[in-house]
């Protein structure tokens, strides 16, 4: 660690632990065996664990997701052949640890997540978050918005997650994108749900969602139109240079590919289809992302975690493919872990 963060030497990038020296299965877990945030002086991309699942409506357990995904990420290697990029060599990627968030108080936890994410984004780092249930996307989007303004949002999920409330609760995992719309966090005309397929309560679920500006790519649209046409439309809708945020609920994958999740739905994407859709976003200005709803208690043979870690690797690779002029080269301040005052729109009861 150099003392002057502005010196050229401080841009020397610290990569993953060398697997030729230390076997991949040994040592403490960090994402992809990357250095921890405390061990680097600059950070372009921060992997942030968000072990929160108190917004879950069906099977709980996503609070254990970050540790599970890190453990499954040990086999990620330095070069991504499909995207022709070495994601840990051209940008400093570091593991920023987990947000210490309350399991009892959702409003408090949302504030804690936003504060920690903003500590990273304010310094210019792009956050790739590992959830946690989908509630965590709201504070993460707030942090991205505070740094980059309204984003194009691409939301991969079996579900719309734009209900107004569940059991009267407004800040839970089925509502984050309704709240994000109310707060103006994303660009209505540039945002899309991908992989939608769940049964719903009626046609109004879709018509209500469309009023928020979202386009929706259902799994059956992929069957009808094919991957190239879907990618082309998605990319055109986002537009070049637009700050892009990608939120991935792992239940967008079929339960055959990702059984370890809280609200599984049949008829989903294969892991290969999801990777292909993500690679189609290469060259766009990806500023932040999350992968949520990995619940290890329902996982088998690390299938879900391996899929999630591979997806995180692809997202970090996409960030490396962003034009250098669009990438921040700044030093993150020390993380401010103080809890912010309640926001006017926080849940109070
Ligand atoms: Mn879902
Ligand atoms: Mn979701």
């Amino acid at each position: 660690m150099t003392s002057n963060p502005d010196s050229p030497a401080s841009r020397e990038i610290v990569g993953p632990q060398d697997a030729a020296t230390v076997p991949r299965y040994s040592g403490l877990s960090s994402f992809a065996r990357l250095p921890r945030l405390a061990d680097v002086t600059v950070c372009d991309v921060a992997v942030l664990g968000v072990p929160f699942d108190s917004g879950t409506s069906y099977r709980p357990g996503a609070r254990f997701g970050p540790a599970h995904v890190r453990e499954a990420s040990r086999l990620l290697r330095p070069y991504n052949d499909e995207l022709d990029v070495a994601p840990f060599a051209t940008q400093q990627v570091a593991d920023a640890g987990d947000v210490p968030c309350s399991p009892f108080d959702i409003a408090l936890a949302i504030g804690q997540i936003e504060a920690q994410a903003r500590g990273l984004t304010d310094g210019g780092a792009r956050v790739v978050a590992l959830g946690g249930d989908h509630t965590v996307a709201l504070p993460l989007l707030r942090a991205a918005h505070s740094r980059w303004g309204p984003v194009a949002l691409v939301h991969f999920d079996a579900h719309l997650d734009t209900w107004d409330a569940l059991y009267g609760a407004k800040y839970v995992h089925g509502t984050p994108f309704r709240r994000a719309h109310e707060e103006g966090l994303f660009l209505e005309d540039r945002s899309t749900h991908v992989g939608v397929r769940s049964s719903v309560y009626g046609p109004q679920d879709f018509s209500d969602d469309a009023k928020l500006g979202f386009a929706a790519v259902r799994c059956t649209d992929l069957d009808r139109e094919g991957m190239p046409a879907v990618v082309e439309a998605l990319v055109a809708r986002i537009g070049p240079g637009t700050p892009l945020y990608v939120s991935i609920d792992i239940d967008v994958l079929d339960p055959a590919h990702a059984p370890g999740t809280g609200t599984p739905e049949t008829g989903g994407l294969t892991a290969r289809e999801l990777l292909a859709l993500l690679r189609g976003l290469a060259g766009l200005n990806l500023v932040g992302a999350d992968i949520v709803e990995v619940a290890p208690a329902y996982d088998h043979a690390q299938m879900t975690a391996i899929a999630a870690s591979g997806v995180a690797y692809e997202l970090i690779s996409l960030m490396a493919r962003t034009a250098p002029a669009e990438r921040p080269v700044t030093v993150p301040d020390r993380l401010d872990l103080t809890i912010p005052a309640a926001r006017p729109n926080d849940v109070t009861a």
Side-chain angles (χ1 to χ4, degrees):
M1 191 161 168
T2 56
S3 56
N4 176 6
D6 296 322
S7 73
S10 73
R11 285 303 298 171
E12 215 168 89
I13 285 168
V14 183
Q17 197 165 32
D18 181 5
T21 311
V22 181
R24 292 187 172 277
Y25 45 81
S26 65
L28 298 173
S29 289
S30 64
F31 183 81
R33 293 158 44 97
L34 284 159
R36 284 145 210 271
L37 190 63
D39 297 327
V40 297
T41 52
V42 294
C43 180
D44 300 304
V45 178
V47 179
L48 179 64
V50 190
F52 172 87
D53 67 1
S54 304
T56 307
S57 59
Y58 197 55
R59 304 196 301 201
R63 67 181 62 181
F64 299 106
H68 189 53
V69 175
R70 284 193 181 97
E71 186 59 30
S73 71
R74 291 172 175 270
L75 200 51
L76 294 173
R77 300 185 185 84
Y79 181 65
N80 183 332
D81 185 53
E82 288 297 329
L83 287 175
D84 185 21
V85 71
F88 308 134
T90 59
Q91 57 187 357
Q92 181 64 63
V93 190
D95 192 320
D98 285 347
V99 181
C101 45
S102 170
F104 299 119
D105 184 332
I106 293 179
L108 175 62
I110 285 174
Q112 290 167 321
I113 296 161
E114 182 182 348
Q116 189 138 352
R118 282 181 72 140
L120 297 161
T121 54
D122 286 355
R126 297 177 183 216
V127 171
V128 175
L130 308 174
D133 74 46
H134 224 149
T135 313
V136 309
L138 178 66
L140 294 166
L141 274 167
R142 286 177 179 166
H145 179 270
S146 76
R147 177 68 174 77
W148 287 283
V151 293
L153 172 63
V154 178
H155 167 219
F156 291 89
D157 203 320
H159 312 95
L160 297 167
D161 288 0
T162 53
W163 279 320
D164 182 47
L166 292 176
Y167 298 93
K170 293 254 187 180
Y171 293 82
V172 291
H173 79 156
T175 65
F177 304 113
R178 172 71 66 113
R179 299 290 91 77
H181 179 264
E182 290 164 357
E183 297 182 23
L185 303 182
F186 63 85
L187 298 162
E188 284 191 11
D189 55 345
R190 298 197 178 277
S191 297
T192 307
H193 302 290
V194 182
V196 179
R197 66 184 184 279
S198 78
S199 53
V200 293
Y201 290 100
Q204 77 280 0
D205 282 28
F206 283 100
S207 53
D208 288 352
D209 179 77
K211 287 179 198 155
L212 307 183
F214 278 108
V217 177
R218 305 189 199 201
C219 284
T220 45
D221 292 328
L222 263 171
D223 295 337
R224 275 190 295 269
E225 297 168 26
M227 184 70 68
V230 165
V231 168
E232 189 182 343
L234 190 60
V235 168
R237 186 167 165 84
I238 297 161
T242 310
L244 168 65
Y245 188 97
V246 174
S247 184
I248 301 177
D249 185 327
I250 205 67
D251 72 27
V252 75
L253 296 179
D254 192 90
H257 293 254
T261 192
T263 321
E265 304 282 355
T266 194
L269 302 183
T270 66
R272 196 168 64 209
E273 286 170 333
L274 177 55
L275 293 176
L277 285 162
L278 290 174
R279 287 167 187 152
L281 305 178
L284 298 175
N285 184 22
L286 182 62
V287 298
D290 60 64
I291 303 125
V292 299
E293 301 282 358
V294 174
Y298 318 102
D299 204 8
H300 308 283
Q302 290 187 309
M303 293 163 68
T304 314
I306 289 166
S309 70
V311 163
Y313 181 77
E314 220 60 35
L315 290 163
I316 295 166
S317 299
L318 289 174
M319 288 175 173
R321 283 282 303 264
T322 301
E326 293 169 353
R327 272 200 269 135
V329 186
T330 50
V331 184
D333 293 327
R334 288 187 64 81
L335 280 182
D336 178 4
L337 296 181
T338 53
I339 295 161
R343 296 166 60 105
N345 50 7
D346 279 344
V347 175
T348 52

